[in-house]
Structures are given as C-alpha cells and as structure tokens.
Amino acid sequence: MRRTAYVKVCEKAAVLFLTGCLGLSVAGCGQQEAGPHLPEEVTLLDPVGVGESYEAAARRNLYAAKVYNAQICPYTEEYTLEKQMRFDSYAALPGDQVKKGQTLIRTNLEAMEKQIEETEKRMVREEEEFKEYTEAALKTLPEYQESEIFWGGALERWDQWQEGEPELYPSRFECERNYRNALIARQKLEEQLAQRTELYELDSQYNQLLLQRMYQDKDNCTVLSGQKGEVANIRFMNYNDDMYPDNSMVAVINPDRRVLKCEYINKTQISGAREVYAIIGGKRYEVEYQPMESGEYARLEERDGKVYSAFTLPEEAQDTPLGSYAVLVIISRVGENVLSVPKSAVFKEEEGYGVYVVRDGERVYTPVVTGMQDGVYVEILSGLEEGDRVLIEKDEPKADKTVILERGSVSHEFSQTGVLVYPTQEWITCPDLHGTVYFEGLAVNLFQPVKKGDVLFKIRVKADQVELERKERELLRMRERLAELQKEPQENEKAIEQWLESIAEREELVAKMKEDYATTEVRAPYDGIITDLSWNIWTQNLGEGDLLFSGQSLVMLAKRDCNYIMVEDPNGLLSYGNEAEIEYQDLDGRTQTAAGQVVTLGPNCISANLFGEGEALIKVPPEDLENMAITTISGDGWWSLNTFHVTVTTRQMDNVVLVPKKAVTAYGGVTYVRQKLEDGSIIYQSFVAGGSDDKNYWVAQGLTEGTEVCIE
C-alpha cells in the first residue's frame, strides 16, 4: 500500500510540475509556482522522467483573506417621482449648491398649473359673490327688523289708538298683516343668509382642500432636494421626455459626511470575519458595516444589476478627501507562525492525508493532520516537526538576488479624450413684438463667450402707426369716461375702480407698443457661450432686411457656469472629488492646461441608471472654459470634439510597503514572496496584497518595511 501511495505522489508531482506548482530547492532563492487544491484520490499513469525535490516544513503566517477596491464617497440621496410625468427643465446641475427643499428638476405642469389657476380664480369669484350677497343682506336686514319692531309696537298700542281718534290709525288687521310680513321677511332673510354662509364655508373648505392637494401633487411632480448639499449625477433628458416613477432622476450629496463603499459583501461574511478594516492613504482604519435589508438588496439588484456595500468611517477618517481610493480587507482566518508545508506535498489516502518525508535518503510515508490553508500552503497540526523535509516536485534553482522592502506610493493614471458638453442650452429667439420685425445682422460668433447684456443680433421694427393711434384714441375716451364717473364718486365707486384697472392695462399696452417699435437689439439674458446658430444663418438664407417671425430661433446660448468637460469612464474609475488636468491647444497653437474637478459619482457610489453610459463630468473654472470653448471651432468652421486631453490620478495609495512584482508569485488570489531570514535560509511567505501598479504590489498585511525578499 505504501508503494501505491508513493506512486501516486510521484504521479501527482508530474502533473503539478506540468501545470506550474510551487517549489523551493535547497539551492536558495527559487521561482515560486502555486499549487491547486488538495486532490481527491485518483489513479494516474506512471510518471516518466520526473525529478524529485523536497522542502522543509517551516513556520509561517497563513492568511485567508479577501481584498476589495473601495472609495471614499459622500453621503448621497437619490430622488424619484411618485408618478409618471414629462420632463420640463433642470433647476440645478452637477456641481451646483442646493438647499433642502429646493427644486432640482421641473416637470411639465402646464395642465396642472392651469387647473390650479382656474380653481384659484373660481375661489376668488365665489368669495366676491358671497361678499356682495352678504353686504346686500346685512344692508336689508335692519329695514326688516325696523318694520317688524314698528308694526309690533303698533299692535301693542292699537287699543290706545282706538280711545283717541281711530280714523287716524291703521286697522288692527293691517297692523297684524304688516307685522307678520316683516317678521317673515326678516326670518327668511336670516335663514337664507345662514344657509348661504354655511354653503359658502363648506365650499370654501372643500376648495381649500382641493387646492392644497393640487399643490401637493405639483410638489410631488417636482423633484425637490431632501438635504442641503451639492448636485451630483442627473439623468440627462430632453424637453417633454417621459419620467417614470422608481427611476432615480437626480442625486444630491452631502460633502461633509463620508462613507466607504465597495462591491456588495453580505452580512454573514462580515460576522464570520476575524478582522475587517480599511486602508486609506496608507493608514489602517476600523470601519463599521452598514447592513442592508434583504428586500432593499433585491430591489436594488433588480433595478441596477449590481449592489454595493457601505461602511461607516471613524471620526479620524472624516477629513479624507472625497474620491480617495481605499481598500477593504476582510481577514477570515489567520494562522500565525504555524507549521506548514506546500500544498503540493499533501495527498489524500483512504485513511486521511499524508506526505512523504525524506529521511536518510529514504522516502517515508507519514500521515498528517491538516488545518487551514491559503491555496498554496497547508497548516500541519500533527505528524511533522519543523525541519522535516517533505517530497515535492523538482524545481530548478535560481540565482540569489534580494531586495529590502521600502515604503512608497502606487497609483494609476486615467487618460482620456474629453469634449465640452452643455446640459442647459436655449435658443434665443425673435421676441414677440408689436409691429413687423426685420433681421439686421448677427453680432456674435459661434463659441464666443458673452456677458449678460451683450448684443446677440440686431433687428428693425416697422411700427403699425394706425393701430397705435387707434389705441391712443381709445385710451383718451376711457379717461374722459372716468372723469365723468369721478364727479359722483360715492355712487360710482365700483365702476370707477373697474375703469381705473382698464385704463392702466391700456396705458401699459400703448407703452409696450412704443417700446417695441424702438427695439433695435436683442441682448444676452445671462453670461454664457454661443453654442449654435440657426440653420438659416448657417446656410446664409437669412440676410439683412429679411422678415423675422415671433419665436424664430437665431442663436443658441449655454449658461457660462453650466458647462463641463465630459470623458467616457465605463469602468467607473473616476468619482466625485478627483482632481483632473485638462490639456488643450489655444488659438495660437500653444499647449495650455487647466485644472478641474470631477463632480459626478462613480458606479460604486450611485445607482446604475444615474451612472448612465459611464460618462464623468469635470467642472473647470469659467475663465478656462471660455478659452477652451473658443478653441473648439476648427479651421473650416465646424465644431471639433477631440481637442481636450484629460488626465486623472486614480487608485493612489501613499506610504505603504512596496513589493516588486518580480519578487511576487500570485496564485488563486494568494500572493507569496521568498523571504530571506536572518540565518540566511529562504522560506515562502504569503502576504495580503492591497493592490498593485505596473511595477509593485503594496502590502495590506503580512510584510513589514525592511523585510528582505528574493527577486528574479
């Protein structure tokens, strides 16, 4: 049976040798190759020409660990609509500061606003009618009351009248009839007034409730910010696009609150871990897992396809710059200074696990009890002593060359072409003026920066003198009529009020006509950049003296502070707070640089539908943006989209222990070095790698500064 075991271990050695297994020869620093999982008992062909070697059982640290890329993200809230609406416009854009309750996105509320307006007008009209009725009723009621009192008194004094001169007084029947009529009239009026008041109050309460619900519906159809902060990602939409409930429309961040986010980690994995910590800027921080309800996980997974986990940062890490790269380390098990052998030396028999120990040149089968493993080495709980040499596959010796580990920095460079984008643009049109409007010429060029009040285009307005004179004659007659009414102001109070309103409206109209006739220029309503010209101007179909119609588009203007450099970032390497350098050529062909900041969140900080197609927006100072905008027009007059080179340093980790890649063997997520001990012996030592760049790994746990390791 031992012979069978020996054959099996040799057969296994052949396979592992061919597939690249781990080994160390007695010659010193050798090439590390990793081995597979412990094999089940199998039958293999006899090996041919396979060499044999051994490695001494030694003590080392074993780690069962997993490392996740993470990022420092601001606390973020995403907002949706409660029902389907149509998009109108953005009230805030990425990078804008907002207050709690401030409008972020406006929806198309024309029908709803019209209904609110009609309801408010009806309420005013009903209030005026009730007020008029009440005033008239309260004016008539004293007359009925006086009549009732008079005829009631007459009945009481009727007998006295008969003793005097009865022919001078009305009959008793007449007194009773008049008294009854006055009483009934007074009671009827009071009853009508009470009923009318009750009905008005009920209608008023109903209308107030109806109006309140309308305003609530309007608020629910307008996306409002739930916190004070800064707008990050928005869903880019065009006017009148459908907006569906449960789809995130906009995100607002609180830059003063920070969280750590990485790919999803379940609660079981966290609760069973020995250590959970983050490394940020080369420092270790203890973090607290934020569990997620199963229902929320299912909802997010269905909506976004990928879910991320959040961790609360300690107070000392709250000043970490937003967008900083971090790693989350989960150590599930640690074997500290445990006796171990290469996994390739261990095989399974029916009665358990065993190894072959080389003693006095003989191979001796030795059963062992194994413990934890890291994929390359296996812990030996019993059966071996430190220094026992176990049979492994043969490995060629390598030359001894070592390096002392030092601290340093690692990073990656994101390099991409960027383009200018203008999320909010509007056509500056021919204004609605009285008279006939003619085009007199354009005063700006494409991509020209303009200030508020700068002339965009010139016009000439031909006055309609006949219509103006007619309106002025009507105004004169209205003033004459008002003067007649004002001779008896008390009797004509309401009519005078109405005529004053009508005259004011007519005066405003006449003034507007005269102002329109004098208009010669259309000016910029705000600081901005000219981003497009009408097709008629491009094709020169619109020239000096050509007729313009009201609302005709001529110049497109983008707000100066609402423009961005956009780069494609499908892998989500960029996030809010990253500093960017933008390089471009000015009009003289000289290379210029501008500094910018990423103002959108990456996919691990935001819902997938707000991450969109993987595009990041970079905000640059307005003065730099103006220079960049001018350079976007190429020599032939067309807009060039490929003039900006954007560079961002990502995944930067400072003050960490660096291990040259040529000193590391990685297998199945486990990283090993060949560590040279003080006595000159060489052992394989695993470590937890936090990440790497093109030259080095950096150490999250397991190796320290000053460690000597072998390199090729």
Side-chain angles (χ1 to χ4, degrees):
M1 179 171 182
R2 295 292 172 257
R3 173 59 184 168
T4 303
Y6 174 64
V7 170
K8 288 181 179 177
V9 77
C10 291
E11 292 167 345
K12 178 166 69 98
V15 174
L16 295 178
F17 176 79
L18 295 174
T19 56
C21 300
L22 179 108
L24 180 65
S25 73
V26 294
C29 295
Q31 177 73 28
Q32 175 188 356
E33 299 291 347
H37 297 294
L38 293 177
E40 299 295 331
E41 185 174 4
V42 293
T43 302
L44 301 176
L45 297 175
D46 288 338
V48 178
V50 178
E52 300 173 6
S53 187
Y54 62 86
E55 181 174 332
R59 295 192 174 275
R60 56 176 52 82
N61 295 334
L62 301 182
Y63 299 95
K66 194 163 185 180
V67 177
Y68 299 86
N69 290 326
Q71 203 160 42
I72 304 300
C73 301
Y75 172 76
T76 306
E77 292 183 357
E78 300 179 21
Y79 306 114
T80 64
L81 288 170
E82 293 187 1
K83 61 181 180 180
Q84 183 176 345
M85 293 294 295
R86 290 186 180 274
F87 175 78
D88 180 84
S89 61
Y90 297 107
L93 291 169
D96 289 349
Q97 302 292 322
V98 294
K99 298 178 180 179
K100 183 176 182 179
Q102 183 174 329
T103 299
L104 302 175
I105 294 179
R106 305 182 188 94
T107 54
N108 192 338
L109 301 172
E110 292 180 2
M112 187 173 294
E113 288 175 343
K114 184 177 181 181
Q115 186 180 9
I116 290 174
E117 182 181 3
E118 291 176 351
T119 301
E120 289 177 335
K121 287 182 177 179
R122 187 181 73 252
M123 292 174 65
V124 172
R125 185 171 61 251
E126 290 175 353
E127 182 181 6
E128 291 176 349
E129 292 175 353
F130 175 72
K131 183 179 179 180
E132 291 177 359
Y133 170 81
T134 302
E135 290 175 351
L138 293 176
K139 185 177 182 180
T140 305
L141 186 60
E143 299 176 3
Y144 292 160
Q145 291 172 336
E146 292 175 3
S147 179
E148 179 186 354
I149 293 171
F150 174 80
W151 291 109
L155 283 174
E156 293 176 356
R157 295 188 296 272
W158 191 82
D159 291 337
Q160 298 175 4
W161 292 344
Q162 294 303 313
E163 296 176 356
E165 300 178 9
E167 66 276 4
L168 299 178
Y169 299 98
S171 65
R172 185 180 185 88
F173 172 78
E174 187 176 358
C175 289
E176 290 178 347
R177 184 187 64 186
N178 290 341
Y179 171 73
R180 185 172 60 253
N181 288 342
L183 175 64
I184 292 173
R186 191 262 305 167
Q187 291 176 339
K188 184 177 181 180
L189 182 59
E190 287 179 342
E191 183 179 352
Q192 289 176 343
L193 181 59
Q195 290 178 350
R196 184 70 178 267
T197 301
E198 183 179 359
L199 288 174
Y200 170 75
E201 289 177 349
L202 289 174
D203 288 344
S204 179
Q205 291 175 3
Y206 172 76
N207 288 331
Q208 288 288 354
L209 180 61
L210 181 63
L211 192 63
Q212 182 180 0
R213 289 176 178 174
M214 289 181 182
Y215 275 111
Q216 287 176 348
D217 288 343
K218 183 180 177 181
D219 289 341
N220 291 337
C221 295
T222 302
V223 183
L224 305 177
S225 177
Q227 66 174 346
K228 178 183 177 181
E230 185 176 315
V231 177
N233 300 42
I234 59 175
R235 179 187 288 271
F236 286 103
M237 305 192 74
N238 296 315
Y239 178 76
N240 226 27
D241 281 353
D242 284 323
M243 300 165 58
Y244 297 98
D246 297 330
N247 279 344
S248 295
M249 303 303 304
V250 59
V252 174
I253 66 169
N254 181 349
D256 296 328
R257 293 176 58 186
R258 288 157 167 74
V259 294
L260 182 76
K261 286 192 174 183
C262 66
E263 68 176 84
Y264 182 73
I265 303 170
N266 62 49
K267 186 176 181 180
T268 302
Q269 188 176 354
I270 294 294
S271 60
R274 174 171 171 168
E275 295 179 69
V276 178
Y277 61 89
I279 298 179
I280 310 167
K283 295 182 180 180
R284 172 172 168 160
Y285 296 95
E286 303 302 319
V287 293
E288 182 179 349
Y289 178 69
Q290 297 180 2
M292 183 183 297
E293 297 292 337
S294 58
E296 177 70 3
Y297 174 84
R299 186 184 71 83
L300 292 174
E301 185 179 40
E302 180 180 359
R303 186 185 71 178
D304 298 336
K306 192 170 185 179
V307 185
Y308 290 84
S309 288
F311 293 79
T312 302
L313 291 168
E315 187 65 30
E316 59 268 24
Q318 287 296 327
D319 292 334
T320 305
L322 290 172
S324 295
Y325 172 66
V327 296
L328 185 81
V329 181
I330 299 180
I331 307 292
S332 55
R333 291 186 66 187
V334 176
E336 295 181 350
N337 198 34
V338 296
L339 188 65
S340 58
V341 297
K343 191 175 177 182
S344 61
V346 182
F347 55 89
K348 187 177 182 181
E349 292 282 9
E350 294 178 358
E351 59 270 24
Y353 292 103
V355 299
Y356 270 89
V357 178
V358 180
R359 292 186 180 134
D360 299 327
E362 298 292 331
R363 304 171 185 86
V364 179
Y365 172 79
T366 305
V368 294
V369 177
T370 61
M372 70 167 293
Q373 58 171 302
D374 64 3
V376 179
Y377 276 87
V378 179
E379 179 185 7
I380 302 299
L381 299 177
S382 66
L384 292 178
E385 298 290 338
E386 185 175 358
D388 286 346
R389 298 180 298 173
V390 295
L391 184 66
I392 59 171
E393 69 279 10
K394 185 176 181 180
D395 188 19
E396 294 297 327
K398 298 293 182 179
D400 290 343
K401 187 177 180 181
T402 63
V403 64
I404 304 298
L405 301 186
E406 298 177 346
R407 290 186 175 273
S409 300
V410 294
S411 64
H412 293 264
E413 184 177 273
F414 175 93
S415 181
Q416 184 62 267
T417 297
V419 297
L420 265 172
V421 293
Y422 308 91
T424 55
Q425 306 176 85
E426 66 171 317
W427 282 104
I428 306 301
T429 62
C430 175
D432 185 12
L433 303 174
H434 295 88
T436 306
V437 183
Y438 297 92
F439 182 68
E440 290 294 296
L442 195 65
V444 293
N445 297 315
L446 187 63
F447 302 116
Q448 174 183 333
V450 295
K451 301 291 185 182
K452 181 179 179 179
D454 286 353
V455 177
L456 301 179
F457 54 90
K458 298 180 179 181
I459 59 175
R460 174 173 57 87
V461 182
K462 182 179 179 181
D464 188 342
Q465 290 297 133
V466 174
E467 181 66 12
L468 177 61
E469 292 173 0
R470 186 174 69 84
K471 297 297 182 184
E472 288 179 329
R473 286 196 301 270
E474 291 177 356
L475 180 60
L476 179 62
R477 296 191 189 100
M478 293 170 71
R479 288 170 175 163
E480 292 173 350
R481 175 58 178 160
L482 176 63
E484 290 293 325
L485 293 172
Q486 288 175 334
K487 292 178 181 179
E488 299 178 353
Q490 294 182 347
E491 296 182 3
N492 300 316
E493 180 180 357
K494 191 168 184 61
I496 291 173
E497 182 180 345
Q498 292 175 345
W499 277 100
L500 286 172
E501 292 179 358
S502 299
I503 289 173
E505 292 176 357
R506 187 56 53 89
E507 288 175 340
E508 184 179 352
L509 175 60
V510 171
K512 179 67 166 59
M513 292 175 69
K514 291 180 179 180
E515 180 184 352
D516 289 353
Y517 296 158
T519 302
T520 59
E521 299 168 334
V522 175
R523 298 177 178 272
Y526 44 77
D527 294 353
I529 297 173
I530 306 300
T531 58
D532 202 357
L533 305 174
S534 73
W535 182 250
N536 287 330
I537 293 178
W538 273 113
T539 57
Q540 299 182 347
N541 289 330
L542 183 65
E544 183 177 348
D546 286 347
L547 183 66
L548 293 176
F549 58 85
S550 176
Q552 182 174 350
S553 299
L554 293 173
V555 173
M556 182 171 280
L557 183 64
K559 288 187 177 180
R560 181 175 184 258
D561 296 333
C562 298
N563 311 309
Y564 308 88
I565 302 297
M566 184 183 72
V567 293
E568 294 184 1
D569 181 26
N571 297 321
L573 298 177
L574 305 183
S575 193
Y576 178 91
N578 292 154
E579 299 294 333
E581 182 180 275
I582 301 100
E583 185 179 284
Y584 65 98
Q585 302 292 320
D586 64 16
L587 292 178
D588 296 325
R590 294 172 299 189
T591 300
Q592 303 289 346
T593 59
Q597 179 180 332
V598 179
V599 293
T600 49
L601 296 167
N604 56 339
C605 298
I606 202 74
S607 296
N609 55 26
L610 278 179
F611 182 61
E613 300 298 324
E615 297 164 342
L617 299 182
I618 300 172
K619 195 84 169 176
V620 297
E623 56 273 15
D624 288 324
L625 188 73
E626 290 177 356
N627 295 331
M628 298 165 74
I630 294 174
T631 66
T632 57
I633 186 167
S634 58
D636 59 2
W638 291 98
W639 187 16
S640 173
L641 293 177
N642 301 308
T643 55
F644 308 109
H645 183 73
V646 179
T647 304
V648 182
T649 299
T650 63
R651 296 192 175 183
Q652 182 167 341
M653 188 65 66
D654 299 320
N655 194 32
V656 288
V657 176
L658 302 182
V659 185
K661 279 193 169 181
K662 56 186 178 181
V664 177
T665 298
Y667 176 78
V670 181
T671 47
Y672 268 84
V673 294
R674 290 157 289 166
Q675 180 179 354
K676 187 173 183 179
L677 303 180
E678 293 182 359
D679 61 4
S681 61
I682 306 297
I683 67 166
Y684 278 90
Q685 178 60 58
S686 66
F687 70 98
V688 180
S692 66
D693 59 11
D694 57 343
K695 295 181 179 180
N696 300 299
Y697 284 93
W698 63 271
V699 179
Q701 189 168 331
L703 294 176
T704 59
E705 184 179 6
T707 301
E708 186 176 4
V709 299
C710 299
I711 60 174
E712 295 180 1

